[in-house]
Amino acid sequence: MTSEQDVTQPPARPPVDRQIGKVGVWSGQFDFSPAGVVREAIAELDELGYPTLWTGEVKGREVLVTASLALATTSRITIATGIAQILARNPLTMTAAHLALTEAFPGRFLLGLGVSHAELMHIRGAAYTRPLAQMAAYLDEMDRMAAEQYRAVPPGGVPPRVLAALGPKMLGLARDRADGAHTYFVPPEHTAAAREILGPDKLLVPEQAFVLHTDPGEARELARRHTGSYLRLPNYTSNLRRFGFGDDDLADGGSDRLVDTIVPWGDADVLLGRIKEHLDAGADQVAVQVLDFDRRGLPRRQWRELAPALLAL
């Protein structure tokens, strides 16, 4: 039997800097533009004054490559992954990228990690089995690789990381083994519940989708195009059921009630109201994903139009 003294404890994580700005930008649209356009768009976000850009990976660019492009193009904005899929790369590869980017761009890279979804992992030939156990084991290996194997110049201090988390157990792991949580496709009520689990000292950054358009029919049509793609994934539907959404709400791309909750639409004041709900519920920052009618376009006009209101928070 292993004695208590033989159990390896994870390294203590010092308090993370939570002064990351109240509003960031979230976008998964960069895959559809050439690298030159991506660099130009991200440089504009930096010039506008947005403090953080969150971006993820599905089946396009490798997200740490995108982060590298973004960091090299800009001088102030923090680049965060929302998320880097753990089963897409082994722990040493993830650790090496995390440490290298943090050393090269001090204070400007935030690694968001997630197990992702069974469908995406099957495409990669990876087994999606027990997400909580997979994440815990992966974090163990990341910590071990950082301590025992990484041999390049290290960054100063412990590089920050957050976990994609929806359910109580993964939120608990984000509290115990990371610097907080990045949540996605959630109502403000989830933010309040997440803050209670995380405690007062951890980062909490929910994503918030939005349509900058005032026609109800057209706005909801675009919003439902977005919600419909996520309501096929049990991670999200199970989470929404915890907050009172039932079968009727989850069918056919989502009821009006669900669509308006997950993707509010209207002018800047509507978005500000929803951001305030998340902040009042305990979010440190809200990562705003502005949807565009062009399926492959970047919402650069909307980013510019919203910047004065959002950055005044």
Side-chain angles (χ1 to χ4, degrees):
M1 180 179 294
T2 303
S3 70
E4 186 174 339
Q5 288 83 357
D6 293 331
V7 175
T8 301
Q9 296 298 321
R13 304 191 66 82
V16 69
D17 181 6
R18 296 170 65 193
Q19 303 304 310
I20 60 172
K22 293 182 178 179
V23 179
V25 167
W26 201 105
S27 181
Q29 293 296 102
F30 295 114
D31 283 345
F32 305 118
S33 295
V37 174
V38 172
R39 286 192 289 265
E40 180 184 278
I42 294 174
E44 184 177 20
L45 288 173
D46 194 30
E47 292 165 5
L48 287 169
Y50 285 105
T52 310
L53 168 64
W54 294 80
T55 191
E57 61 182 347
V58 182
K59 292 182 284 187
R61 287 189 183 94
E62 197 273 343
V63 70
L64 298 172
V65 170
T66 301
S68 300
L69 286 171
L71 288 162
T73 299
T74 56
S75 59
R76 293 169 294 185
I77 195 168
T78 293
I79 305 300
T81 58
I83 48 86
Q85 300 169 5
I86 64 170
L87 300 180
R89 49 190 71 79
N90 67 47
L92 178 56
T93 301
M94 186 79 83
T95 298
H98 190 197
L99 296 175
L101 288 173
T102 304
E103 188 274 328
F105 303 96
R108 294 185 54 220
F109 180 61
L110 175 58
L111 180 66
L113 298 164
V115 185
S116 191
H117 306 277
E119 176 184 340
L120 293 176
M121 292 305 98
H122 291 160
I123 292 170
R124 296 180 181 274
Y128 182 94
T129 53
R130 299 167 57 217
L132 186 71
Q134 285 178 316
M135 178 60 80
Y138 194 91
L139 295 175
D140 287 341
E141 281 298 287
M142 281 190 70
D143 291 341
R144 188 174 72 83
M145 292 299 171
E148 299 177 8
Q149 299 295 335
Y150 187 69
R151 66 180 187 183
V153 176
V158 178
R161 67 191 184 198
V162 294
L163 305 186
L166 291 176
K169 292 181 179 179
M170 192 66 80
L171 284 163
L173 190 67
R175 175 195 63 219
D176 297 337
R177 299 295 310 280
D179 298 299
H182 175 45
T183 59
Y184 190 95
F185 208 75
V186 297
E189 292 81 4
H190 182 275
T191 299
R195 173 53 69 197
E196 186 172 347
I197 292 169
L198 290 171
D201 300 324
K202 295 290 183 172
L203 278 173
L204 176 56
V205 182
E207 171 269 352
Q208 177 62 65
F210 180 70
V211 177
L212 184 62
H213 195 69
T214 56
D215 179 88
E218 293 176 354
R220 285 197 180 111
E221 181 180 1
L222 174 54
R224 195 164 274 114
R225 193 172 81 194
H226 175 77
T227 56
S229 65
Y230 289 101
L231 292 176
R232 297 182 293 105
L233 300 170
N235 311 51
Y236 294 118
T237 56
S238 296
N239 186 61
L240 289 170
R241 289 181 188 280
R242 294 187 185 105
F243 295 91
F245 293 98
D247 290 343
D248 291 343
D249 293 304
L250 302 174
D252 301 320
S255 65
D256 283 354
R257 180 174 82 99
L258 184 145
V259 167
D260 292 350
T261 298
I262 297 300
V263 191
W265 49 270
D267 59 16
D269 286 339
V270 173
L271 177 57
L272 288 172
R274 178 56 56 82
I275 290 170
K276 187 174 186 299
E277 288 182 62
H278 281 292
L279 294 174
D280 289 347
D284 292 291
Q285 180 185 85
V286 179
V288 174
Q289 180 175 191
V290 183
L291 306 181
D292 192 86
F293 287 94
D294 181 354
R295 289 178 182 270
R296 293 179 172 262
L298 286 167
R300 296 177 67 177
R301 174 188 62 80
Q302 295 95 317
W303 290 340
R304 288 191 290 267
E305 185 175 334
L306 290 168
L310 298 186
L311 298 175
L313 280 172

